Amino acid sequence: VPAPTLAGRDDPNHKEMRSIFDQAFRPGKIKELEPNVESLSYELIDAFLDDGYCDWVEQFSIPLPLKIIGIQMGIENEEDLWKIKKSTDAFFHRIGMMLSQEEELETIEREIEGQHYFQPIFEKLRKCPNDTLLSELVNTEIEQWGRTLNDNELHAEMMADTFVGGSETTTNALSAGIKLLIEKKNIWGMLKENSEKYLKVFVEEVLRLESPVQSLMRNTHKEVELNGVKIPAGSIVNVRYAAANRDENYFEKPEEINLERKKAGSHMAFGSGIHHCLGAPLARRELYWGFKAALDSFDDMWFSEGKNDFEYHPHYLLRSLKELHIEFTPNPKR
């Protein structure tokens, strides 16, 4: 049954559990992964480059972060990854709070299928540990608890903080960024001319403007007053990161992409404080190489005529484009 995930825990409980993940996402580990991120970005584009068109969401935005988290977790078999994706998609839709009761029950059944996939892997790793993130999650004892994570906690982490947190959010940003580049040709031109100067700032502006995680829920432990409004203790508050990221009191002309923006990384897309997204450094590298591969591979790109309705999955917390059909002129130098 569902157990509290990392995002839903308070200190000291949160800090003690996060220590397992901090090891896996330390800078040295991310640096080791970067060559995989870079090469995979170009490989995915090479698979459709000669076609002159693609569904960017299905053929690039989804597989790039999914395969990278698969490498981290030691699950690189394509068939298994898409099986996991089916279950984590179910979790993604359920937490969006936009389903009927019947639809929610269907998603829970698919989540349980994912649990049946992972359970024997947990048991195998307990007997034969390896050097993967999944093995660390299964076998690392949390000193203050005097135990490792139990099955319920592990299953919760598979859905929330690893495969959804580690892939779905980056998928959304990769899709949003390409859509913005097609809509704003001046930004595309600046990046084509000098990606070394502007690309890292563009990544931050995509995260700020599109906020793949639009909001999360928090509980008030005591009564607080905000802007003259009293919020009673025990209230559920929906913290809208997307609104904060377009705050005109903090960001000048927040509705615009500004590749010269100072402190571009000071947005709230990854949260803040003790719950700041532990996967942020990896997400930034995936976005950087995803956009870099597109800049290097396409001379120009545009929306496929008549194929896009630009619909987003109905979701209360995340912003996720369903599909993005684009056409492009391949760079002959690739």
Side-chain angles (χ1 to χ4, degrees), residues 12-247:
N13 191 270
H14 163 266
K15 184 179 180 180
E16 293 158 0
M17 186 176 183
R18 181 162 172 144
S19 63
I20 304 176
F21 291 88
D22 284 340
Q23 275 292 100
F25 286 91
R26 63 187 183 272
K29 283 282 189 180
I30 302 305
K31 193 172 182 179
E32 288 175 18
L33 272 174
E34 185 151 8
N36 297 100
V37 178
E38 179 183 357
S39 60
L40 182 57
S41 296
Y42 289 94
E43 286 169 19
L44 288 170
I45 287 181
D46 284 345
F48 55 73
L49 187 60
D50 290 341
D51 297 334
Y53 62 88
C54 72
D55 176 352
W56 181 258
V57 174
E58 181 181 340
Q59 293 174 259
F60 190 92
S61 298
I62 291 174
L64 177 62
L66 179 64
K67 290 184 178 185
I68 294 301
I69 193 68
I71 292 171
Q72 276 189 296
M73 301 292 278
I75 301 169
E76 299 183 49
N77 179 284
E78 286 267 347
E79 189 176 332
D80 284 356
L81 278 175
W82 291 108
K83 190 185 297 183
I84 293 167
K85 174 70 175 165
K86 182 180 176 184
S87 294
T88 55
D89 274 353
F91 171 84
F92 160 72
H93 289 297
R94 182 171 63 81
I95 65 169
M97 302 185 291
M98 303 283 283
L99 301 179
S100 66
Q101 186 176 23
E102 184 179 347
E103 289 170 330
E104 188 165 345
L105 288 171
E106 288 173 6
T107 65
I108 290 169
E109 287 179 2
R110 296 213 306 274
E111 288 179 59
I112 292 170
E113 288 173 12
Q115 293 177 340
H116 282 284
Y117 170 81
F118 278 113
Q119 187 62 39
I121 296 177
F122 298 160
E123 291 164 7
K124 181 180 178 181
L125 287 171
R126 286 180 178 123
K127 294 176 183 176
C128 305
N130 56 35
D131 61 355
T132 63
L133 170 57
L134 184 49
S135 183
E136 286 188 40
L137 293 177
V138 169
N139 293 299
T140 301
E141 181 177 308
I142 298 174
E143 187 179 344
Q144 296 87 342
W145 298 4
R147 64 173 177 84
T148 58
L149 298 179
N150 62 37
D151 287 343
N152 280 349
E153 290 162 340
L154 287 167
H155 284 303
E157 291 307 316
M158 291 308 97
M159 292 296 164
D161 293 321
T162 54
F163 280 96
V164 170
S167 66
E168 179 67 38
T169 49
T170 306
T171 287
N172 299 345
L174 285 166
S175 303
I178 292 299
K179 181 173 181 286
L180 285 169
L181 285 175
I182 292 175
E183 291 170 339
K184 301 180 184 298
K185 286 299 182 184
N186 61 317
I187 302 298
W188 170 258
M190 291 174 72
L191 288 169
K192 287 288 282 184
E193 188 175 325
N194 196 343
S195 64
E196 189 174 334
K197 179 180 179 181
Y198 293 122
L199 186 50
K200 286 184 179 179
V201 179
F202 176 71
V203 167
E204 303 302 334
E205 285 288 83
V206 170
L207 290 165
R208 183 186 65 79
L209 269 173
E210 288 294 319
S211 301
V213 179
Q214 296 273 293
S215 67
L216 289 175
M217 300 297 192
R218 291 289 180 261
N219 296 312
T220 52
H221 289 282
K222 61 183 180 180
E223 183 182 283
V224 293
E225 186 171 313
L226 196 63
N227 270 13
V229 177
K230 285 188 177 180
I231 304 173
S235 299
I236 297 175
V237 179
N238 185 235
V239 183
R240 301 298 295 184
Y241 306 115
N245 284 339
R246 290 178 179 239
D247 183 355

Side-chain angles (χ1 to χ4, degrees), residues 278-298:
L278 57 86
L282 178 57
R284 284 185 164 109
R285 300 322 292 159
E286 290 172 336
L287 294 172
Y288 177 89
W289 285 112
F291 298 140
K292 181 76 163 62
L295 287 163
D296 289 345
S297 302
F298 309 149

